[in-house]
Amino acid sequence: MDPRVETFFEEAALWPEELSALRAILREMGLEECWKWRAPCYTFRGGNVATLWGFREACTLSFFKGVLLRDPEGVLVPPGQNSRSARVMKFTSLDEIGAGRRQIEDFVAQSIANEKAGRKVDLPPDDFDLPEELSERLEADPDLVAAWDRLTPGRRRGWVLHVGQAKQSATRQARIDKAAPKILAGKGMHDR
């Protein structure tokens, strides 16, 4: 086991009891615990199933392929406006976790079944346009365009959203300047 996982739970400043309770459920369901993206991650046969996070407003249990889960009560929500695959459950007390335990176990069981079946989220192709500044930069730099083409679709999407959300052209250009070395290294916005 990665010692960073234990440190995460020992040093959790927000929702420590709730995070530990969710951890216990996930481990009881037979998921493997590892460390990815600066958080505990739970996998089945190498496939990412869930991760835990503690935020100011709630602790969350995030399912990587949450859009594939049957959720008749609508408790799973996208973690952000640009989320296409992940869905989260939010908790603010141990009582909520206790009351939602059957749902959690059902979602984990569905996720395991999806991994066994090899199900993937069928994401439609991105329908966004490159920000003008990014398009111009790619046209002017053959090394950057080659690196861009090697990025995964998700990494390209992340960069386009990051650059495109800036309101001013100068800010978009500054973001591209800062991003270029990471793109050349084959990294996405959140990669270290």
Side-chain angles (χ1 to χ4, degrees):
M1 168 156 0
D2 192 314
R4 294 175 291 186
V5 174
E6 290 303 325
T7 301
F8 175 89
F9 289 102
E10 290 168 4
E11 296 179 359
L14 301 170
W15 313 106
E17 294 173 350
E18 290 79 4
L19 289 167
S20 291
L22 290 168
R23 177 192 197 192
I25 295 169
L26 295 172
R27 291 173 74 177
E28 288 169 14
M29 297 287 299
L31 297 176
E32 294 179 37
E33 187 176 59
C34 61
W35 184 258
K36 295 183 180 182
W37 304 288
R38 295 176 290 196
C41 182
Y42 298 85
T43 64
F44 181 80
R45 294 185 184 164
N48 296 325
V49 171
T51 188
L52 297 174
W53 296 93
F55 298 106
R56 214 171 288 152
E57 69 281 353
C59 70
T60 63
L61 169 58
S62 177
F63 292 94
F64 287 93
K65 298 178 185 175
V67 295
L68 299 178
L69 302 177
R70 290 179 314 281
D71 180 20
E73 295 179 29
V75 299
L76 295 173
V77 297
Q81 69 182 27
N82 296 311
S83 299
R84 303 191 308 167
S85 179
R87 294 296 180 264
V88 301
M89 293 179 81
K90 296 181 179 183
F91 302 96
T92 58
S93 72
L94 288 173
D95 289 339
E96 285 181 4
I97 293 169
R101 185 179 179 104
R102 284 200 176 139
Q103 283 180 315
I104 295 167
E105 290 172 345
D106 178 57
F107 292 144
V108 172
Q110 286 184 59
S111 297
I112 290 171
N114 288 338
E115 289 302 316
K116 285 180 180 177
R119 289 189 70 198
K120 302 219 181 282
V121 177
D122 185 23
L123 297 174
D126 287 318
D127 58 354
F128 52 77
D129 295 320
L130 293 179
E132 183 178 335
E133 295 83 356
L134 181 56
S135 183
E136 289 172 359
R137 180 72 173 268
L138 290 170
E139 288 174 17
D141 187 339
D143 291 335
L144 189 62
V145 77
W148 178 264
D149 290 341
R150 287 190 302 270
L151 291 176
T152 63
R155 286 185 171 112
R156 285 194 299 264
R157 179 178 171 77
W159 286 120
V160 168
L161 291 171
H162 176 66
V163 170
Q165 289 170 345
K167 293 184 173 118
Q168 296 183 5
S169 179
T171 305
R172 288 190 293 274
Q173 190 60 52
R175 287 183 179 185
I176 294 165
D177 291 341
K178 189 171 181 180
K182 288 182 83 171
I183 293 170
L184 289 167
K187 295 182 177 183
M189 197 175 93
H190 301 292
D191 295 335
R192 289 185 172 230

